[in-house]
Amino acid sequence: MQYSASAHAHPLVLGYKSSNVTRLGIGGENSKRRLTGERNMPVARPESSDSRVIAHVDMDCFYVQVEQRKQPSLRGQPAAVVQYNSWQGGGLIAVSYEARKFGVKRSMRGDEAKQVCPEIHLVQVPVARGKADLNSYRNAGSEVVAILSRRGRCERASIDEVYLDLTIAAEAMLANNPPECLDTISEEAVKSHVLGLEVGSDPGENVRHWLTRSDASRRDKLLACGALIVAELRLQVLEETEFTCSAGIAHNKMLAKLASGMNKPAQQTVVPSSSVSKLLETLPIKKMKQLGGKLGTSLQIDLGVNTVGDLLQFSEEKLQEYYGINTGSWLCNTARGISGEEVKERLLPNSHGSGKTFPGPRALKTVASVEKWLSELCEELSERLQSDLEQNKRIAHTLTLHAQAHKSNDADSFKKFPSKSCPLRYGTAKIKEDALSLFQAGLREYLGQYNVKTSGNQNCGWGITGLSVSASKIVAIPSGTRSIMNYFQNLEEIYPQVKLSSEKLIQDAPLLSPSENCLRSGGHPTLQSTERIARHEEDKETKHSIEEEDKEMFKEKGFLLSPEQLPDKETLICSSPDAEVYPKWEKEYPRWEKDQTESSGVSLTEKSRDTFESEEGKRKSNKEKGMQTISRYFQSQNSDSLIQIEHASTANLSESSSLSDPHSEPPQENSLTRGESSVDARLCSQFKRPAWSYDIDEIDQDVLKELPKQIQEEVRAWLRPQKRSNTVKRDLGITRYFLPAKDK
DNA sequence: ACGGGTATTACA
DNA sequence: TTGTAATAC
């Protein structure tokens, strides 16, 4: 199927490609730029005709809020979060709304901000191991995701943003408990902004009327339900995390994202389809996601398109002529507010990285200093991998090293330092060792053949200006099958040392304050732990029998993990599509059209619709009485500024790093023998390892083959990263398109 | 070469 | 599969 031909008949979705820039013309300023490659750019996909309810939730100046929660005296103040205070006051990465009134902007230096706003409070990003440590923000983000994922499919789009697909919940509400039958609408929902709705003297009444109209279109009614649900979720976020957020509710991700930024902070915006054309008509093209870069610039310069509406002047064919079939269609649809990109189910990140830049004069000039910094980075990475393992039961399979370098002395300093990767072995020492090997391999390649015996520590004209290590191909360890449990049991018998110690791990974890204790396990708040609390506080769920069985089994066998350390369904669902579990919301809000056989005999969608209805009703009424709305929350806090919430928690004391690593070993001439296949993910079972860690190399030859076929396959699936299926994009007929030449 | 540190996506 | 590049917050 050619999407170019059917673009209008079948609305398209956006995907992404990475872009490749080529200049067609020869030099000159007015050489015509043309798109000659397409990467990282939007891609068209068919969209189901059903009308969806999509929300985008965006935390308000998130890092600032996290710091304000830690240090409540900062609430309501002009404040910003800054990193690396040393140089010109550091760089701002988040700015409170109070400070924005003074013209303080992200990416200002701290000193600049002080000039514009002398009263501003600058809070430093925590530093650990000589580098910025973003863990507190990641963890805070997880708290939020745990709440926002309650009502529908949730995609963690970044540390502080999520997309929600609330279609099912909205449909259910419309069917069972439609707004038009409600006598009261939550205060927060009434404060929604509805695009295209003229606000009279009583905007709240207008909105209330819009939300409850009985003569509205079905699409509008669904959006109204979405608005009620999102208002409730936002209130829950505020009550449970003390963070405010803003949201957009629309029929697709693109519009929801657009809307979430329109009324900030702490507000939500609804985009009825009737408002779309007017909205886009005057919207600057660069404001659209995906058009903030080169493609947007090309549209401006080459086509004179300054607003999304301007795009409508161009035929799809014309756009395709300039930007290729796919992007042309994508632009054509974007101009009409059409996008079918799906909300992915993803609560956890797919990779972890730790990096640092060493700008200009601070460039690293010796292998020893590189080794020192790599060591720091690897320690952080290893720690995060360990947390992921303990909290989410996931294993990363690939270690990658990235570096930026310059050759001061050399003709071809164009050359990029190549990134290198290898199978990831757990254990800080191993990660360090491998990362260093990767670096040295990259350095040899970077320096080229002239590197005759330069293994010495001395500067040969190169400098490293950026270093990072990352772990990817993270897969969840399946649970919920008998055979896997039996397999573990075998392991335990063969390798008693694997029995080790969730106890030790817990002892090693930093001491927690009582209040933190309830939210944390293993040292960091996790999606799972917070979700567990939430679940506990809500209606008791009927437990999945197999899951229960497995937990019992874990316990009986004295197996490694305390029950609460077992994988949660929410975790597994992310990367394990075949897992026999569904996310919680899908149990409560069954997707009836879904193939019931998927649930492999034990239906998780067994709750009847009737049951659900009554529960939904109960939930509503419970919520509605006695719940503070966000505005009341604000008002009750005796403040003249918008955001003032009291909070008694301990102030954050950011610790300084100790860069002590005096033993700079001489550079080693390791070669990357590990890259050759044989060694796959290994879990070294030493100290500080969960009890169920083991070294796969030692068992999979001797033991794995002894196991029944079925078990072998399960174990293999567990051990290997899942292959991402390419079938989707193939089937979608994605074609290539081309990007404008890069301006130098 | 101070917009840092991450994260995702897609293609060769 | 590994490596590269773009985008965005």
Side-chain angles (χ1 to χ4, degrees):
Chain A
M1 181 207 259
Q2 290 302 314
Y3 289 105
S4 55
S6 58
H8 290 125
H10 306 270
L12 305 183
V13 247
L14 307 190
Y16 303 91
K17 292 199 170 188
S18 47
S19 65
N20 205 358
V21 176
T22 316
R23 186 184 285 271
L24 272 196
I26 308 193
E29 304 90 61
N30 33 352
S31 69
K32 182 172 177 186
R33 258 173 271 112
R34 195 176 186 286
L35 305 182
T36 58
E38 76 185 318
R39 292 168 78 93
N40 232 26
M41 293 309 299
V43 154
R45 280 200 253 126
E47 176 180 21
S48 88
S49 54
D50 292 342
S51 142
R52 299 176 296 157
V53 177
I54 308 295
H56 179 258
V57 181
D58 195 2
M59 305 307 293
D60 305 320
C61 56
F62 189 45
Y63 290 10
V64 171
Q65 285 205 78
V66 172
E67 298 300 337
Q68 286 173 329
R69 186 174 70 170
K70 283 187 209 159
Q71 200 176 325
S73 64
L74 292 175
R75 288 195 185 281
Q77 302 288 318
V81 173
V82 70
Q83 65 187 2
Y84 294 136
N85 221 349
S86 44
W87 192 73
Q88 293 186 15
L92 273 53
I93 55 178
V95 181
S96 78
Y97 284 83
E98 290 82 358
R100 292 184 202 194
K101 291 182 202 155
F102 291 82
V104 179
K105 294 190 307 195
R106 217 170 33 205
S107 93
M108 271 183 172
R109 312 303 310 187
D111 294 345
E112 273 179 90
K114 281 282 191 191
Q115 287 175 358
V116 182
C117 177
E119 306 284 279
I120 195 171
H121 296 78
L122 297 178
V123 183
Q124 276 191 84
V125 172
V127 171
R129 301 185 183 88
K131 64 179 291 300
D133 177 7
L134 304 183
N135 274 322
S136 58
Y137 309 124
R138 285 190 197 97
N139 292 334
S142 293
E143 291 180 47
V144 174
V145 168
I147 295 163
L148 292 178
S149 58
R150 287 173 187 166
R151 303 295 293 274
R153 193 188 312 145
C154 177
E155 174 179 342
R156 186 178 189 163
S158 77
I159 199 165
D160 70 340
E161 288 174 65
V162 306
Y163 289 97
L164 305 176
D165 188 332
L166 300 172
T167 306
I168 294 170
E171 282 172 349
M173 180 185 290
L174 188 56
N176 308 312
N177 197 11
E180 62 188 276
C181 297
L182 262 39
D183 38 343
T184 61
I185 296 294
S186 86
E187 209 173 301
E188 195 51 44
V190 163
K191 288 192 309 185
S192 299
H193 301 257
V194 180
L195 296 187
L197 181 67
E198 61 293 344
V199 289
S201 55
D202 190 350
E205 175 53 27
N206 282 351
V207 171
R208 194 198 61 76
H209 178 253
W210 187 89
L211 291 171
T212 57
R213 274 171 60 197
S214 56
D215 62 337
S217 67
R218 173 174 168 81
R219 280 164 68 80
D220 277 359
K221 286 180 179 177
L222 284 171
L223 284 186
C225 293
L228 297 187
I229 293 166
V230 170
E232 192 179 323
L233 283 171
R234 288 178 44 241
L235 208 43
Q236 289 176 355
V237 168
L238 180 60
E239 290 177 331
E240 296 174 38
T241 70
E242 304 180 8
F243 300 138
T244 67
C245 55
S246 301
I249 300 99
H251 290 302
N252 62 51
K253 285 172 87 172
M254 176 183 89
L255 294 171
K257 162 94 178 160
L258 209 50
S260 70
M262 296 181 68
N263 293 285
K264 278 180 144 273
Q267 293 161 84
Q268 64 183 51
T269 305
V270 182
V271 189
S273 23
S274 57
S275 73
V276 170
S277 58
K278 195 160 180 187
L279 165 66
L280 297 181
E281 189 179 316
T282 57
L283 186 78
I285 196 88
K286 289 271 198 174
K287 300 268 185 195
M288 292 275 335
K289 192 158 187 246
Q290 294 300 312
L291 295 180
K294 293 173 189 176
L295 183 54
T297 301
S298 167
L299 285 167
Q300 291 179 307
I301 293 176
D302 299 330
L303 297 188
V305 168
N306 289 304
T307 71
V308 178
D310 292 346
L311 268 180
L312 292 171
Q313 298 164 357
F314 295 85
S315 68
E316 180 171 22
E317 291 72 25
K318 194 71 180 172
L319 292 171
Q320 289 173 332
E321 219 174 278
Y322 270 85
Y323 299 107
I325 303 279
N326 255 291
T327 303
S329 292
W330 177 80
L331 287 167
C332 189
N333 285 284
T334 296
R336 291 157 180 77
I338 296 170
S339 156
E341 184 192 346
E342 292 210 0
V343 175
K344 295 168 200 63
E345 173 81 38
R346 189 183 60 234
L347 305 184
L348 299 169
N350 289 332
S351 66
H352 299 290
S354 175
K356 179 165 175 57
T357 56
F358 308 94
R362 303 209 303 221
L364 308 181
K365 299 252 174 37
T366 67
V367 173
S369 64
V370 168
E371 182 175 7
K372 182 192 84 170
W373 280 106
L374 269 185
S375 173
E376 307 290 347
L377 299 175
C378 289
E379 278 177 24
E380 185 194 327
L381 181 62
S382 183
E383 212 167 74
R384 285 164 59 191
L385 286 172
Q386 201 59 46
S387 295
D388 203 344
L389 183 56
E390 290 159 11
Q391 298 168 2
N392 306 317
K393 307 297 169 287
R394 304 195 304 168
I395 298 175
H397 285 254
T398 302
L399 176 70
T400 304
L401 178 133
H402 296 270
Q404 295 165 262
H406 62 65
K407 271 188 281 192
S408 51
N409 223 354
D410 206 325
D412 77 320
S413 51
F414 298 100
K415 201 159 153 192
K416 290 215 151 72
F417 196 101
S419 65
K420 295 285 168 196
S421 55
C422 71
L424 192 152
R425 302 183 296 156
Y426 273 68
T428 307
K430 294 189 177 167
I431 291 174
K432 286 183 187 178
E433 180 188 331
D434 292 347
L436 183 59
S437 298
L438 290 173
F439 172 78
Q440 288 177 328
L443 184 61
R444 277 193 298 273
E445 193 175 319
Y446 177 70
L447 294 177
Q449 54 214 5
Y450 293 109
N451 182 26
V452 278
K453 220 50 223 149
T454 60
S455 66
N457 299 351
Q458 275 337 57
N459 184 347
C460 299
W462 51 268
I464 299 299
T465 55
L467 266 184
S468 82
V469 288
S470 58
S472 58
K473 295 183 185 152
I474 305 180
V475 302
I477 301 168
S479 76
T481 70
R482 264 290 176 185
S483 46
I484 291 279
M485 301 303 128
N486 291 332
Y487 178 61
F488 278 125
Q489 191 183 344
N490 290 343
L491 272 185
E492 186 182 355
E493 285 159 7
I494 296 166
Y495 298 95
Q497 80 272 15
V498 304
K499 181 119 65 126
L500 262 165
S501 55
S502 47
E503 295 115 347
K504 172 156 179 44
L505 287 169
I506 288 167
Q507 284 166 9
D508 287 348
L511 288 179
L512 303 173
S513 74
S515 68
E516 281 174 319
N517 243 342
C518 69
L519 280 182
R520 297 180 181 213
S521 74
H524 301 289
T526 67
L527 213 45
Q528 288 66 41
S529 57
T530 49
E531 180 68 16
R532 194 176 305 116
I533 290 167
R535 188 182 307 163
H536 194 257
E537 286 171 352
E538 290 181 355
D539 333 8
K540 301 280 183 192
E541 287 188 51
T542 49
K543 290 291 183 179
H544 191 289
S545 60
I546 286 188
E547 183 189 23
E548 272 309 87
E549 204 174 326
D550 286 342
K551 290 192 178 180
E552 284 311 309
M553 180 157 181
F554 267 112
K555 241 190 269 187
E556 283 168 21
K557 303 301 175 192
F559 205 81
L560 353 125
L561 298 173
S562 55
E564 59 269 25
Q565 284 182 298
L566 285 168
D568 275 9
K569 290 179 289 204
E570 285 77 7
T571 306
L572 296 172
I573 208 77
C574 298
S575 51
S576 200
D578 296 331
E580 339 170 59
V581 290
Y582 287 100
K584 177 179 154 198
W585 62 267
E586 198 150 2
K587 286 188 290 177
E588 296 183 359
Y589 305 85
R591 182 192 286 275
W592 297 99
E593 60 271 30
K594 193 163 203 146
D595 183 3
Q596 296 289 315
T597 62
E598 280 181 43
S599 53
S600 67
V602 184
S603 173
L604 290 168
T605 59
E606 57 203 10
K607 233 178 225 182
S608 75
R609 205 171 185 112
D610 290 337
T611 306
F612 152 67
E613 286 167 19
S614 62
E615 287 187 5
E616 171 76 3
K618 255 187 294 182
R619 174 185 314 240
K620 261 260 107 37
S621 56
N622 282 343
K623 288 294 177 187
E624 232 131 72
K625 72 176 172 208
M627 171 174 280
Q628 285 188 313
T629 71
I630 289 174
S631 64
R632 197 171 305 152
Y633 215 111
F634 288 142
Q635 288 159 9
S636 69
Q637 302 297 329
N638 76 342
S639 154
D640 44 29
S641 102
L642 183 55
I643 306 179
Q644 286 269 345
I645 302 164
E646 264 191 55
H647 176 51
S649 76
T650 58
N652 172 40
L653 307 176
S654 62
E655 73 214 64
S656 291
S657 67
S658 65
L659 293 182
S660 56
D661 200 354
H663 69 89
S664 305
E665 292 170 348
Q668 302 158 359
E669 289 290 4
N670 290 351
S671 63
L672 291 179
T673 54
R674 228 176 324 284
E676 359 273 279
S677 78
S678 71
V679 185
D680 199 18
R682 296 191 270 187
L683 302 180
C684 64
S685 55
Q686 291 147 6
F687 303 110
K688 296 205 61 170
R689 213 128 295 283
W692 44 278
S693 295
Y694 63 97
D695 190 325
I696 186 62
D697 280 346
E698 292 173 4
I699 54 95
D700 73 348
Q701 304 305 326
D702 303 330
V703 177
L704 192 51
K705 285 175 185 163
E706 311 288 331
L707 299 172
K709 189 99 182 171
Q710 177 208 357
I711 298 177
Q712 282 189 41
E713 283 175 18
E714 281 168 341
V715 172
R716 252 187 275 279
W718 180 60
L719 296 174
R720 308 281 173 198
Q722 277 179 326
K723 248 189 173 141
R724 296 251 296 249
S725 73
N726 285 335
T727 56
V728 175
K729 29 177 197 192
R730 300 279 175 261
D731 292 344
L732 292 172
I734 286 169
T735 64
R736 316 188 50 196
Y737 88 115
F738 301 91
L739 265 193
K742 182 176 203 160
D743 290 270
K744 289 286 173 180

